[in-house]
Amino acid sequence: MKKLFAIAFAGVLMTSCVSNKKFAEMEDQYNTTKEELRTAEMKLSACEDEKKSIRESYESQIKTLQNTNAALLNTTGEMVTISKTAATNLERSLESMQEKDLQIKTMRDAINKKDSVTLALVTSLKGALNNIDDEDIQISVEKGVVFVSISDKLLFGSGQYKVTNEAKAVLAKVAKVVNDKKDFEFMVEGHTDTDPISRTKIEDNWDLSTKRATAVVRILQDEYNVDPARMTAAGRGEYMPVASNDTAAGKAKNRRTRIVVLPKLDQFFGMIEDGMKNAK
């Protein structure tokens, strides 16, 4: 554009003569136009720089928004995954709680059933032995176990392990009850006081208590047909007293034979297993 203007200006000079005044005006106009052109070029350059800066800023903002959007999408996906996992865990926890409640109910039902059978056994024993003096025989229940305690003066002579005829009548009644209650096993325990024993063929109180327990078991098996597989004979000696051995009365209480009636554990657990099967 500058070259065109210069050529045009030279052409004018070549084709005509102009005054100095006219030339000066034209030169001023040229300089003014040149300055305006330079100013316009500077503004154009500034505009282009501003446009570039704005474009870069927009591109940066767009990239930031895109990254933010992607992060939000990932977070949403993770939240969905966490929610699904939490829901699954909650469902499993509820199922586990229901299963535990079922197990507790089943065990409670089995215990109640066992307690009912135990109560029936106690009722039968007390009914069969209701004419026996309480000082000679006592029936009690502790933690679901039935205890029949018979004093030695009813069962044996002093320092002896042969069962008396009077005692056989008592054992006959006990045998009738236990024969009717097949769900129980029992242990016959012999107990003594602390007085040392001095008898032929009896070594000590351990030996005496064991021989007495064995004698009772033999009577129940041989004369009253109690299944021997349901019985255990045990000698406790002087080591499980129920009273002080410092007095004659206390020693008399300690000299006893105790029949411990036990529920069959396999049948008890069988009741629980049957309950679990029926609940499914």
Side-chain angles (χ1 to χ4, degrees):
M1 188 174 180
K2 294 178 181 179
K3 291 181 179 181
L4 291 175
F5 186 81
I7 294 172
F9 183 72
V12 171
L13 290 178
M14 292 175 62
T15 54
S16 62
C17 293
V18 293
S19 63
N20 290 334
K21 181 178 179 182
K22 185 65 173 178
F23 178 81
E25 290 177 353
M26 293 178 67
E27 188 176 15
D28 290 339
Q29 186 177 1
Y30 168 75
N31 291 331
T32 300
T33 302
K34 183 178 178 181
E35 184 64 25
E36 290 177 352
L37 177 60
R38 189 178 68 83
T39 301
E41 288 177 346
M42 292 176 62
K43 289 182 178 180
L44 177 59
S45 177
C47 287
E48 288 179 348
D49 292 340
E50 184 178 0
K51 178 181 177 181
K52 181 180 179 181
S53 177
I54 291 174
R55 180 184 292 109
E56 290 176 351
S57 176
Y58 283 167
E59 288 176 351
S60 177
Q61 292 180 25
I62 290 172
K63 186 174 182 180
T64 300
L65 290 174
Q66 288 175 340
N67 292 336
T68 302
N69 185 55
L72 288 173
L73 290 175
N74 290 335
T75 302
T76 302
E78 291 176 357
M79 290 177 64
V80 170
T81 302
I82 293 173
S83 298
K84 289 181 179 179
T85 302
T88 301
N89 291 338
L90 178 59
E91 184 178 358
R92 290 177 179 174
S93 297
L94 291 174
E95 291 177 353
S96 178
M97 290 175 62
Q98 292 174 351
E99 184 178 352
K100 292 296 183 184
D101 289 342
L102 180 60
Q103 291 176 353
I104 292 172
K105 181 180 182 301
T106 301
M107 293 184 67
R108 186 181 294 115
D109 291 343
I111 291 172
N112 291 337
K113 183 177 180 180
K114 179 184 72 66
D115 290 343
S116 298
V117 175
T118 300
L119 179 61
L121 172 64
V122 172
T123 302
S124 298
L125 286 170
K126 288 185 175 181
L129 303 172
N130 61 358
N131 61 339
I132 303 298
D133 190 347
D134 288 344
E135 293 182 359
D136 294 329
I137 183 167
Q138 294 180 344
I139 301 173
S140 61
V141 180
E142 298 177 17
K143 298 181 179 179
V145 178
V146 179
F147 297 93
V148 181
S149 183
I150 307 172
S151 67
D152 75 323
K153 69 178 182 178
L154 178 61
L155 287 172
F156 308 101
S158 178
Q160 301 293 322
Y161 56 88
K162 182 179 179 180
V163 178
T164 65
N165 290 330
E166 183 182 4
K168 289 182 180 180
V170 176
L171 294 178
K173 294 179 179 181
V174 173
K176 185 179 185 307
V177 173
V178 297
N179 278 333
D180 291 338
K181 305 294 182 182
K182 304 297 184 182
D183 294 333
F184 291 90
E185 297 176 341
F186 55 95
M187 178 168 59
V188 179
E189 297 179 342
H191 297 263
T192 70
D193 58 23
T194 55
D195 289 346
I197 186 71
S198 178
R199 297 279 182 177
T200 304
K201 298 182 180 180
I202 300 177
E203 295 185 12
D204 50 24
N205 283 328
W206 273 115
D207 193 21
L208 176 61
S209 64
T210 303
K211 281 179 165 56
R212 284 180 169 179
T214 304
V216 171
V217 167
R218 286 199 181 100
I219 293 295
L220 292 172
Q221 175 185 352
D222 296 340
E223 299 189 23
Y224 303 113
N225 300 316
V226 178
D227 183 0
R230 297 174 58 196
M231 296 187 291
T232 301
R236 296 285 193 174
E238 61 197 65
Y239 301 104
M240 289 187 67
V242 293
S244 172
N245 282 298
D246 294 335
T247 64
K251 290 179 180 180
K253 290 182 179 180
N254 291 332
R255 294 191 303 267
R256 68 202 187 278
T257 297
R258 187 169 70 165
I259 300 175
V260 185
V261 186
L262 307 167
K264 292 183 177 180
L265 293 180
D266 56 342
Q267 293 190 5
F268 174 67
F269 289 116
M271 286 189 288
I272 296 178
E273 291 178 357
D274 290 342
M276 294 297 291
K277 292 178 182 178
N278 294 332
K280 291 182 179 180

